[in-house]
Amino acid sequence: MTKIKRYVEDIEDELKGAKCYIEKALEYKASGNADRYNGYKEMSIQELGHAMRVHEYAVQDINKLREVYPEIPQKMMDAWEKSHVDFVEKTAWIKQMQSM
């Protein structure tokens, strides 16, 4: 079940990068540097895309694991469920910042 843990860590890492890049982008936008704003915004969009792809893979693999192991340890499923809720919330926030 370390596979689920790795997915959680990878998703968190990608979301952290997306958030960091969009915050830098908005700082550059506020200072009038459109070139840097666009560059950092694009990096944020790419990182968010990575997070979404990893999340998609995680969902697919967890569904396959459930077919083979109907009794996945509750601790692992709790970690996944928490990660999923965090993913949805953070993704919405990052997208909102990207639309600014």
Side-chain angles (χ1 to χ4, degrees):
M1 299 306 150
T2 58
K3 187 174 197 172
I4 296 171
K5 182 179 178 183
R6 277 184 270 141
Y7 277 131
V8 168
E9 291 169 353
D10 290 348
I11 291 167
E12 288 174 358
D13 184 52
E14 297 294 344
L15 289 174
K16 182 178 177 182
K19 183 177 182 275
C20 179
Y21 287 139
I22 196 59
E23 287 172 348
K24 286 181 183 180
L26 294 174
E27 289 173 15
Y28 282 114
K29 183 176 184 177
S31 69
N33 190 331
D35 186 49
R36 293 268 175 100
Y37 163 73
N38 289 325
Y40 277 101
K41 182 178 179 181
E42 180 60 31
M43 287 189 287
S44 175
I45 291 168
Q46 290 172 2
E47 290 291 292
L48 186 58
H50 298 161
M52 293 174 78
R53 180 169 289 161
V54 172
H55 182 265
E56 177 185 328
Y57 293 162
V59 169
Q60 291 170 358
D61 289 354
I62 288 169
N63 288 337
K64 287 179 186 175
L65 282 172
R66 284 182 173 151
E67 291 173 10
V68 178
Y69 303 105
E71 298 296 324
I72 295 175
Q74 190 60 44
K75 185 176 180 180
M76 293 306 314
M77 291 311 301
D78 289 347
W80 169 248
E81 292 301 325
K82 182 185 179 314
S83 173
H84 179 73
V85 169
D86 288 347
F87 169 79
V88 171
E89 291 173 358
K90 289 176 182 177
T91 297
W93 178 248
I94 292 166
K95 284 183 176 184
Q96 184 176 4
M97 289 194 301
Q98 289 172 343
S99 70
M100 295 175 77

